[in-house]
Amino acid sequence: MATVLELKRKSLQIRKELLTMIHGAKGGHTGGSLSNADILTALYYEVMKHDPHHPKLPDRDRFVASKGHCVESLWCILADLGYFPQEELATFSQFGTRLIGHPNNKVPGIEMNTGALGHGLAVSVGMALAAKRDGKSYRVFCLMGDGEQAEGSIWEAAMAGAHYKLDNLVGIIDRNRLQISGSTEDVMALEPLDRKWEAFGWHVVTVDGHDYDELLKALRGSPEADGKPTLVLANTIKGKGVSFAENKPEWHHHVPSDDQLKQAHEELDAALAALEGEEERSGTHA
């Protein structure tokens, strides 16, 4: 099992890698990939049952990135785990690559192509229902964006998940409060988001999406309510970890310049150094 400090270090390394990848490709969704990095790190390194050497393992947990445009952090994690060679990250968004700007199921570890928002949860409901009917024990995790909550198909899927009592289904909302057009509350107000999901029959857990103790408790513990799907409402910061990108809507898909990439790496390296000191003081240094 990974320690919280190890998970923090891994997520900082993932952030450095995804920024390098976006900079090299001259395109990508920076802000949301930085905000979801801790959620994905918790899932892939500590919560989900999966095997990079056997990506089609029948009893594997399934992950669907419904907010498929923020795939950069996912590509970095899959490469780090060995689903495909690390060197392939340099081909991101280049002609002929498998690593396009949205999840591509030609890549091991990807369950479905996503991109058009609002589709991932519906497919996740189908996967979870199949597990129930086949007598399988795997769980299905679906990561959604908060701007995506304006899609009607999300609420149809939410209603179906509750109707079929899919307590093997875990929805996660990356609640960074910003979308491409600005604040979610200005574009299409969502609050009270927790009560809306509860009204649709889901068990809702609200967490700090950058706090590993809270994330792990919520994700490991699901389902907490028999016969109900779980919704983890993860409050996050868009652009997390990079000072000039945090809470800036323009960084939804902004590409760092050479100087900005250098500054971002320096900030993340400083955070890594601080973690090293914390590990030494706590006696958990590997």
Side-chain angles (χ1 to χ4, degrees):
M1 291 178 62
T3 67
V4 167
L5 287 173
E6 288 169 342
L7 293 172
K8 287 180 179 178
R9 182 169 63 236
K10 180 62 69 176
S11 68
L12 289 169
Q13 293 164 343
I14 293 299
R15 286 182 168 94
K16 286 185 64 179
E17 188 69 59
L18 75 86
L19 287 164
T20 299
M21 195 168 66
I22 290 170
H23 175 264
K26 296 180 174 56
H29 288 83
T30 308
S33 290
L34 290 168
S35 71
N36 73 28
D38 295 311
I39 298 167
L40 294 183
T41 299
L43 282 172
Y44 274 92
Y45 293 93
E46 195 55 33
V47 173
M48 291 200 313
K49 178 175 60 179
H50 65 104
D51 184 349
H53 303 295
H54 303 282
K56 293 296 184 182
L57 194 71
D59 290 329
R60 71 192 180 278
D61 288 334
R62 274 68 166 167
F63 173 75
V64 174
S66 191
K67 54 174 296 181
H69 57 286
C70 294
V71 72
E72 292 84 353
S73 47
L74 180 58
W75 287 144
C76 291
I77 286 170
L78 292 179
D80 182 65
L81 289 168
Y83 278 93
F84 58 85
Q86 189 88 20
E87 304 76 51
E88 197 170 343
L89 292 175
T91 72
F92 173 63
S93 284
Q94 305 301 315
F95 179 75
T97 185
R98 296 188 297 175
L99 305 186
I100 57 178
H102 293 82
N104 168 22
N105 65 6
K106 293 180 180 178
V107 180
I110 299 296
E111 301 291 343
M112 66 170 288
N113 297 347
T114 55
L117 294 175
H119 292 184
L121 186 62
V123 175
S124 298
V125 166
M127 290 177 176
L129 182 58
K132 289 283 188 182
R133 294 188 171 177
D134 290 343
K136 299 292 186 180
S137 62
Y138 63 80
R139 291 185 292 172
V140 181
F141 296 87
C142 179
L143 178 63
M144 298 170 278
D146 50 4
E148 186 177 4
Q149 304 305 295
E151 299 283 352
S153 51
I154 289 290
W155 300 101
E156 293 179 56
M159 189 160 50
H163 173 78
Y164 289 109
K165 304 184 189 310
L166 300 179
D167 52 16
N168 57 342
L169 174 62
V170 183
I172 308 163
I173 297 177
D174 182 7
R175 183 71 170 114
N176 60 39
R177 291 176 169 75
L178 291 173
Q179 58 191 98
I180 192 169
S181 305
S183 164
T184 57
E185 300 313 288
D186 291 336
V187 177
M188 183 65 70
L190 300 176
E191 296 299 341
L193 191 53
D194 54 350
R195 286 165 52 195
K196 287 175 181 175
W197 278 87
E198 287 170 353
F200 271 71
W202 287 55
H203 175 68
V204 177
V205 183
T206 301
V207 301
D208 178 339
H210 304 303
D211 184 311
Y212 280 100
D213 289 318
E214 292 187 21
L215 278 171
L216 292 174
K217 181 180 178 182
L219 295 170
R220 281 178 182 153
S222 300
E224 291 185 12
D226 289 342
K228 283 188 174 185
T230 295
L231 189 281
V232 177
L233 185 55
N235 290 303
T236 61
I237 297 171
K238 196 149 192 167
K240 174 66 176 177
V242 178
S243 63
F244 54 83
E246 288 189 353
N247 288 320
K248 300 288 178 59
E250 61 267 28
W251 278 91
H252 181 85
H253 54 33
H254 198 69
V255 177
S257 66
D258 292 350
D259 288 342
Q260 286 171 328
L261 180 66
K262 182 174 181 288
Q263 180 182 340
H265 277 204
E266 287 172 351
E267 292 181 5
L268 292 165
D269 283 337
L272 281 165
L275 273 184
E276 292 288 338
E278 190 176 341
E279 286 177 318
E280 289 174 0
R281 287 190 297 274
S282 66
T284 60
H285 196 276

